[in-house]
Amino acid sequence: MERIRPGRPRRAGRLAALALGLSLVLSACGGSAKPAGSSTTPASSGSAGQGATAAASTIKIGVLHMLSGPYALYGKYGSQGIQMAVDEVNAQGGILGRKVEVKVEDENGGTSHAVSSMRDLIQNWGAQFIVGVDSSGDALALVDVAKQLKTPMIVTHAATPKITGQLWNPYVFRVTTNSRSDAWAAAYIAAKMPITKWAGINPDYEYGHSSWQDFSSKLKELRPDVQFVDEEYAPAGAQDFSSYIAKVLQSGAQGVFSVEWAGDLVTFIRQAKGFGFFDKIQAFMDPVGAAIAVARPLGKEYPNGLWVSARYYFLAHDTPANNQFVQNYYSRYHEYPDYVSHEGYKAVYMLKKAIEAAGSTQADAVIQQLEGMCIDAPEGRDCIRAQDHQMFKDLVWGRSQYSDQYGMAVMTDMQVIPAAQVTYPPENKR
């Protein structure tokens, strides 16, 4: 049974003044805490940092994010969240008394480049853990690198269900929702609309294809009367969406689902407005359309009334922990945290908890602690499912509305799709 609760936006300018330095409250849902032991990282089988001489004095986290091209803002925001958490951890004395060091590599450049960068971080720089990864296409290859080099990889963005499904291996964790949950949440919203004809415009790779399949199949289950009249796929980094926009308009679609993101979504929206696209359809939905990496570049160009979401939204959680996180982030970077900022920030604190519970950076010991772990993150309590290392959580959707206060479109009329409605059984063959 569907359950949608009303959300409540909050003015960040009214955030209470709070002390700097976030102290997350962490707890373990699964796995037992272990006595502190050696924190050295030998380059032996089953150890993080395989193939490299990891410095015993520091704990090294390699980061992969898109730092260039149309997805560069995602890399910037994701890296900022990770660095803020690392600086807080180091200010608190580090992990097991050791400082944490981060090195960020640009993931942009194709899957072979991403694989090479991850190998370099682990084998040459000595990364004991990998955090980040934006592209689902890259993630499909990187999960095998993590397994080969026996290095835990905490995915904070790439959303294909396959990496915690059929391609899962014990070294892979994802601390954000995946594209299936996003698509199912969209379907629950769409099912309530008086719309029977839907079309899709999505990226022509794993993320776009799997998202459309999950959205259309779930919506059909909820609303057997709907028809899917067109599905279009544009290449990543597309500069011209006009042919796809024209085909969808000609299809007679009343509603359009899309997972275009970052610079591609910015380009699409600008070109679609030239066709009067948003005036000719009744609803447009994008599970990551509320990303600040989209809202900020578009500014007043962002159409009002689109149905959008993000895997974390800075205005959606009126709690002391989230208000403090937003204020600390804004004070440091002079902008609001995007969802990738929050997920990267959370990943660092989850690693801290797991390493401290294991008493070691040894990969297998840390993996055992991460399985089933819960964290009281800024957005609320999040848990990693032990069976497949996937995190499920409530998803917030709303309508886009430009705000003079924030200088960008923000979500209004927010609704929460509970995690229970977007959770599915483990798919891996563990």
Side-chain angles (χ1 to χ4, degrees):
M1 180 66 72
E2 180 181 3
R3 179 169 63 89
I4 299 178
R5 302 190 298 265
R8 184 176 60 171
R10 188 178 194 278
R11 289 165 57 97
R14 295 177 179 173
L15 296 174
L18 296 165
L20 294 176
L22 179 62
S23 177
L24 287 179
V25 180
L26 297 150
S27 61
C29 291
S32 58
K34 296 178 179 178
S38 171
S39 60
T40 58
T41 309
S44 58
S45 178
S47 298
Q50 175 81 0
T53 304
S57 60
T58 62
I59 293 173
K60 292 190 173 185
I61 299 175
V63 176
L64 286 169
H65 267 310
M66 298 282 195
L67 300 175
S68 59
Y71 314 108
L73 273 182
Y74 269 88
K76 173 188 174 185
Y77 294 152
S79 300
Q80 286 180 170
I82 291 169
Q83 190 62 58
M84 189 169 100
V86 167
D87 289 348
E88 289 178 2
V89 167
N90 284 336
Q92 296 162 11
I95 302 175
L96 300 178
R98 298 163 62 183
K99 293 293 185 184
V100 180
E101 188 176 355
V102 169
K103 184 177 182 181
V104 185
E105 290 288 346
D106 188 357
E107 181 189 338
N108 191 37
T111 298
S112 60
H113 170 76
V115 167
S116 175
S117 296
M118 181 167 165
R119 287 187 174 277
D120 183 65
L121 282 169
I122 297 169
Q123 295 177 307
N124 296 323
W125 184 64
Q128 294 138 298
F129 307 95
I130 296 294
V131 173
V133 184
D134 287 309
S135 166
S136 288
D138 293 344
L140 295 177
L142 296 177
V143 294
D144 196 46
V145 178
K147 182 180 180 180
Q148 291 175 17
L149 300 183
K150 302 184 185 302
T151 303
M153 180 172 76
I154 315 297
V155 176
T156 59
H157 188 204
T160 173
K162 288 183 179 178
I163 68 170
T164 50
Q166 62 192 82
L167 298 182
W168 176 87
N169 72 65
Y171 295 90
V172 177
F173 292 80
R174 176 159 43 206
V175 295
T176 190
T177 189
N178 64 34
S179 59
R180 177 167 299 154
S181 295
D182 283 341
W184 283 13
Y188 278 108
I189 299 287
K192 290 182 172 294
M193 299 179 185
I195 290 177
T196 57
K197 295 181 179 179
W198 285 88
I201 299 180
N202 291 291
D204 192 13
Y205 64 99
E206 165 63 23
Y207 175 49
H209 286 268
S210 61
S211 292
W212 174 251
Q213 180 179 6
D214 287 326
F215 171 77
S216 56
S217 60
K218 190 65 174 180
L219 182 55
K220 193 69 174 178
E221 173 188 322
L222 298 170
R223 281 279 303 275
D225 61 319
V226 300
Q227 302 175 48
F228 301 102
V229 296
D230 190 25
E231 55 182 292
E232 302 292 333
Y233 296 97
Q239 297 298 306
D240 185 358
F241 285 89
S242 58
S243 62
Y244 310 106
I245 294 168
K247 289 179 182 177
V248 168
L249 289 177
Q250 291 167 5
S251 72
Q254 301 163 312
V256 177
F257 172 83
S258 177
V259 293
E260 295 291 348
W261 60 289
D264 289 352
L265 181 56
V266 172
T267 301
F268 167 77
I269 287 176
R270 284 174 173 157
Q271 294 179 5
K273 289 181 70 175
F275 283 78
F277 183 84
F278 300 107
D279 297 324
K280 295 176 180 176
I281 60 173
Q282 297 179 34
F284 178 84
M285 308 189 75
D286 192 313
V288 290
I292 291 174
V294 174
R296 279 202 61 195
L298 284 172
K300 292 183 177 179
E301 295 180 82
Y302 205 122
N304 291 331
L306 308 189
W307 279 99
V308 292
S309 181
R311 295 166 192 156
Y312 156 87
Y313 197 62
F314 74 106
L315 292 174
H317 311 280
D318 187 11
T319 64
N322 187 59
N323 293 344
Q324 184 170 350
F325 169 70
V326 173
Q327 175 153 322
N328 289 351
Y329 189 95
Y330 191 88
S331 295
R332 176 171 178 146
Y333 298 116
H334 306 295
E335 52 193 344
Y336 296 101
D338 210 337
Y339 70 86
V340 288
S341 313
H342 176 273
E343 306 301 53
Y345 181 88
K346 180 172 63 181
V348 172
Y349 274 97
M350 295 202 83
L351 273 177
K352 177 179 186 292
K353 174 65 179 179
I355 293 168
E356 289 177 341
S360 167
T361 56
Q362 206 275 340
D364 291 341
V366 174
I367 288 170
Q368 183 179 351
Q369 294 300 327
L370 284 171
E371 291 182 334
M373 176 176 284
C374 294
I375 179 174
D376 288 332
E379 67 179 347
R381 189 172 181 80
D382 289 331
C383 299
I384 296 176
R385 189 161 65 181
Q387 296 94 326
D388 59 0
H389 302 179
Q390 173 64 52
M391 183 172 285
F392 295 92
K393 59 183 182 178
D394 294 349
L395 295 174
V396 180
W397 279 76
R399 307 291 295 272
S400 60
Q401 177 68 50
Y402 180 77
S403 166
D404 286 327
Q405 178 185 351
Y406 296 104
M408 61 182 179
V410 297
M411 279 203 293
T412 62
D413 303 324
M414 285 189 273
Q415 303 178 8
V416 177
I417 308 299
Q421 290 188 274
V422 297
T423 299
Y424 54 84
E427 295 181 324
N428 65 64
K429 299 177 181 177
R430 188 174 193 177

